[in-house]
Amino acid sequence: MKSYHGVAVSLLIIPSTALCVEALRHIAVWASEVAKTITKRVYAWLYLFMGPSLIQDGFDRAKDQPYEILSPDTRYVFVPSKKHIRELDSAPDTVLSLQAASKQEIHSEHPIVNGKHPTLWTVQYSMANVAKNEPFMVAALAYIEETLLCAEAVKLLPKSVAPTIGSIIARFLKAHEKIYAVLIPVAEERCQERDLANLGQNVPKHTDCIQWIMETAPRQKPWTPKRIVHELMAIWFGSVHALSTTITFAVQDLCLHPEYVEPLRRELVARYAQFERTGLGLPLLDSFTKESARLTPVESMSMRRYATQPFALSDGTKLSVGDWACVPVKAIMQDSRSYPDPLTFNGFRFASPNDLKSAETDSQFNFSQPKPSIPGRYYAVAVMKVILGQIILNYDCELVDQQRTRWHTWRSSMLPKKNTMVVFTPRDSSA
């Protein structure tokens, strides 16, 4: 009986043990998947505060292959190679859309950024009467910051409640109303002049951004004043932070690298008048601003594309509807394969040997940089040269605390800290 019972007991235990092992295996697989999901969600939220670092880490590990970064609301597929960048660039905008990406960026389907939202950083330079309106300029700056901060908050909310919360927030934002009150009459007057010109009447000539927008609008169906104002808003969102932040970092780099001030100042004294007439020249200052932007770019991603339809790269990487494709521009600009000694600031990295020789710079500035440069827009570059040129010519500047961290990050952006103080000392005009 003992033997019989022993066998019987063994037969009962063996299948039970196998079932337990199988159950434990399923539990382990399930736990592993849960752990992966939790880890992904943690990294997704970390992206909000460590975006540039996560993008750089992905770039270093990917070895020129596409890689994904998750945020709480979006899946980003980063494309580092020239081959895949060309694939993004050649994809129809009905499949990979820049406009849809811009819309999601500012969450424009919600009332925060919908409707009466004009302004344009270039009015400071091309619309003198508006620029002299101090309440307008204060509201213009406040409007952008308010809108971006609130849009970021709304993007993190569930879609079911985001429109309602957006409407509530919009009631407390007043800057856009002040801006609209100033610019809509200007746009209305321009539209009236446009209609009179079409009837053959003489009207004033304008050479500013509102006029440029009107002249590039469809002729068959001219835009209304409201539409013109909305186009101004789009340009504003696309430029204000990039330009002002890039200039801020460049001023800080002047303080951190004072050895560049004198050669830059000599160039400005000799060539600034010509630059004012033509908008061209100042190669040393051009190089300095490029190097500053290379090491402290406002954005760690570029070439944003929103997938409105499923899309696949040639290596099989897939984008679902709602995913973003983009380029890790900061990582590329600091890649040693294109930029020797990439993390060292070399203000004349992008100046030609002939420019350095004609400027009679010291040998310490001699540097041979291969072909890759930093992309930029002509207007933004010209504005940066004007502002930095006036600072270098008329002021000495110094960082109050050179050891303090100069920026903080949000998503993929690097933004200057408000408590990073620079002292500007007027120079003796006779010097």
Side-chain angles (χ1 to χ4, degrees):
M1 290 293 294
K2 289 181 180 179
S3 175
Y4 171 79
H5 284 299
V7 171
V9 170
S10 296
L11 291 174
L12 289 173
I13 291 175
I14 289 171
S16 299
T17 302
L19 287 173
C20 288
V21 170
E22 182 66 14
L24 288 172
R25 189 180 70 81
H26 282 293
I27 291 172
V29 171
W30 173 82
S32 176
E33 291 301 316
V34 169
K36 288 180 181 178
T37 300
I38 293 173
T39 300
K40 283 186 176 182
R41 296 317 300 167
V42 169
Y43 270 93
W45 282 94
L46 282 177
Y47 173 81
L48 297 180
F49 308 99
M50 300 173 57
S53 297
L54 295 177
I55 294 169
Q56 180 68 55
D57 182 61
F59 177 86
D60 293 339
R61 289 185 287 104
K63 307 299 183 184
D64 280 343
Q65 296 303 308
Y67 62 97
E68 73 169 16
I69 296 287
L70 300 179
S71 75
D73 56 332
T74 306
R75 174 180 178 255
Y76 298 100
V77 174
F78 284 89
V79 174
S81 72
K82 292 181 180 179
K83 175 185 175 182
H84 292 134
I85 290 173
R86 284 194 291 268
E87 291 177 20
L88 295 188
D89 193 41
S90 61
D93 59 7
T94 54
V95 178
L96 297 181
S97 172
L98 172 62
Q99 184 178 11
S102 300
K103 183 178 179 181
Q104 189 188 32
E105 184 78 3
I106 61 172
H107 226 56
S108 59
E109 67 269 28
H110 298 315
I112 293 178
V113 291
N114 199 11
K116 303 176 182 178
H117 285 158
T119 192
L120 178 67
W121 63 268
T122 50
V123 297
Q124 300 174 56
Y125 311 105
S126 60
M127 296 175 62
N129 291 333
V130 173
K132 292 176 182 177
N133 185 329
E134 186 173 346
F136 168 84
M137 298 307 297
V138 171
L141 294 174
Y143 162 66
I144 289 298
E145 188 166 351
E146 288 174 358
T147 302
L148 289 175
L149 288 173
C150 294
E152 284 295 329
V154 171
K155 280 198 293 187
L156 297 177
L157 295 172
K159 292 184 178 180
S160 58
V161 300
T164 302
I165 300 299
S167 298
I168 295 172
I169 294 175
R171 296 173 188 171
F172 297 94
L173 305 180
K174 302 299 181 183
H176 66 282
E177 296 177 359
K178 297 177 183 178
I179 300 168
Y180 188 79
V182 172
L183 283 188
I184 194 66
V186 179
E188 289 173 343
E189 183 179 4
R190 296 295 178 84
C191 289
Q192 291 172 1
E193 292 175 356
R194 176 193 63 198
D195 297 339
L196 291 173
N198 290 336
L199 296 174
Q201 298 189 30
N202 292 326
V203 297
K205 299 290 185 181
H206 303 284
T207 56
D208 56 33
C209 294
I210 286 183
Q211 198 65 29
W212 175 79
I213 287 173
M214 294 177 66
E215 291 174 358
T216 55
R219 296 187 180 276
Q220 296 80 6
K221 191 177 181 182
W223 287 343
T224 65
K226 286 186 178 181
R227 174 61 188 273
I228 292 167
V229 157
H230 293 163
E231 291 297 319
L232 291 173
M233 180 207 75
I235 298 175
W236 167 252
F237 268 99
S239 61
V240 64
H241 280 298
L243 183 65
S244 60
T245 301
T246 301
I247 292 173
T248 298
F249 283 137
V251 171
Q252 293 174 2
D253 281 323
L254 282 173
C255 300
L256 292 170
H257 307 281
E259 65 273 17
Y260 289 95
V261 172
E262 281 307 315
L264 289 172
R265 192 168 281 157
R266 287 197 302 270
E267 178 185 64
L268 287 162
V269 169
R271 303 185 183 184
Y272 190 78
Q274 180 184 2
F275 164 72
E276 277 193 315
R277 290 194 304 270
T278 65
L280 303 174
L282 305 179
L284 299 188
L285 183 58
D286 187 74
S287 176
F288 187 91
T289 56
K290 284 181 177 180
E291 180 71 345
S292 178
R294 186 185 70 83
L295 285 173
T296 49
V298 180
E299 269 293 338
S300 297
M301 69 166 71
S302 66
M303 202 174 171
R304 295 170 171 83
R305 298 292 187 271
Y306 179 94
T308 57
Q309 299 180 34
F311 180 81
L313 295 166
S314 58
D315 73 330
T317 300
K318 294 181 180 180
L319 285 92
S320 302
V321 173
D323 291 345
W324 283 38
C326 41
V327 175
V329 64
K330 178 176 180 285
I332 291 174
M333 290 193 300
Q334 296 176 11
D335 186 351
S336 61
R337 292 172 295 180
S338 298
Y339 302 96
D341 200 7
L343 300 183
T344 297
F345 186 95
N346 190 311
F348 296 156
R349 179 187 293 267
F350 303 105
S352 71
N354 289 337
D355 290 330
L356 292 172
K357 184 177 180 180
S358 62
E360 299 180 355
T361 57
D362 297 336
S363 59
Q364 64 172 315
F365 298 121
N366 293 340
F367 186 84
S368 178
Q369 166 66 39
K371 190 67 174 177
S373 184
I374 304 295
R377 298 300 179 191
Y378 295 118
Y379 187 83
V381 170
V383 173
M384 289 176 63
K385 288 180 180 178
V386 169
I387 295 174
L388 290 173
Q390 291 303 311
I391 290 174
I392 294 169
L393 285 170
N394 298 299
Y395 297 90
D396 292 317
C397 49
E398 182 180 2
L399 272 175
V400 173
D401 186 353
Q402 295 193 5
Q403 305 305 316
R404 173 174 282 179
T405 302
R406 295 186 288 144
W407 61 79
H408 60 85
T409 63
W410 178 256
R411 292 185 180 266
S412 60
S413 300
M414 294 173 58
L415 304 170
K417 287 188 173 181
K418 292 184 177 181
N419 59 0
T420 302
M421 306 300 292
V422 176
V423 175
F424 293 90
T425 305
R427 296 183 67 239
D428 185 350
S429 59
S430 63

